[in-house]
Amino acid sequence: MYYLSYDKFGRNGFSAEFMRRRLVRVVPLYWLFTSLMLLALWLFPAQVRHAEASPLSVLASYLFFPTQRSDGLVRPILGLGWTLEYELFFYGCFAVALLYPKRAALTGFATLFLLLVTLGAIFPHAPTAMVFWSRPVILEFLAGVVIAHVYLAGVRIGRIAQWALVASGFLLLWALGPLQ
């Protein structure tokens, strides 16, 4: 998103246009498949596992708001939708950042994400949404912004360093073993 928006920070009206485009891209299909999952839950409850259709979970699912199921997992009705809950959170934060000049926006964005992860570590029993949005996985969004910023600044690494990073990544994957 940073790569696509790098020259639009602080530009009047772009933040709203950015958010509108993201919502148009994500929401209709997600709502369609969430509705189909609800239909499956109601028509074939014995065949659908790992989903709940309480009024709160239905509302939260359509609003991309993380809620905890009775099994303890934080998942919307459409299980894979948890990734979209992070994505929409990122889009919302990024849209706010776009309201400001680039330097202030990047500083604020990075500070917010680092602060959230820090608070999540300090307060592991906070409300569900806070715990969800403060997990270290959100730093991957920040990393993407940083990588795009560095790339657009013209920083490049040599071929040997590129291959060393790729090899290091595979070595790390091997060392960690199967991820659950």
Side-chain angles (χ1 to χ4, degrees):
M1 293 298 102
Y2 179 81
Y3 183 82
L4 298 174
S5 308
Y6 74 96
D7 61 342
K8 299 185 176 55
F9 283 87
R11 201 185 208 178
N12 197 16
F14 183 74
S15 177
E17 177 64 15
F18 168 84
M19 200 62 202
R20 185 192 69 76
R21 287 181 181 190
R22 302 290 76 76
L23 292 174
V24 165
R25 183 180 68 78
V26 172
V27 172
L29 273 178
Y30 175 71
W31 281 0
L32 171 67
F33 284 103
T34 295
S35 298
L36 290 173
M37 179 60 97
L38 273 173
L39 187 60
L41 272 168
W42 291 327
L43 294 176
F44 314 105
Q47 281 74 34
V48 179
R49 290 185 252 171
H50 311 297
E52 295 177 6
S54 69
L56 177 63
S57 66
V58 171
L59 180 63
S61 290
Y62 282 108
L63 295 177
F64 299 90
F65 194 82
T67 56
Q68 191 171 30
R69 299 186 319 203
S70 61
D71 64 4
L73 293 174
V74 178
R75 294 283 188 274
I77 291 168
L78 185 62
L80 291 176
W82 69 270
T83 62
L84 293 176
E85 290 176 346
Y86 280 118
E87 188 173 338
L88 266 286
F89 177 72
F90 165 73
Y91 289 157
C93 294
F94 195 77
V96 170
L98 284 167
L99 295 169
Y100 299 95
K102 190 182 304 180
R103 185 181 192 115
L106 293 178
T107 302
F109 184 83
T111 301
L112 172 65
F113 275 49
L114 292 169
L115 181 63
L116 282 170
V117 171
T118 302
L119 290 173
I122 295 170
F123 302 106
H125 302 293
T128 300
M130 175 60 187
V131 170
F132 184 82
W133 287 325
S134 65
R135 290 185 181 146
V137 71
I138 69 168
L139 296 179
E140 293 177 22
F141 292 101
L142 178 57
V145 169
V146 170
I147 289 168
H149 182 73
V150 168
Y151 177 80
L152 290 168
V155 176
R156 303 294 186 269
I157 59 175
R159 288 276 184 223
I160 293 173
Q162 291 173 16
W163 284 108
L165 286 171
V166 169
S168 298
F170 280 114
L171 185 62
L172 185 60
L173 282 173
W174 175 78
L176 291 174
L179 299 177
Q180 304 284 349

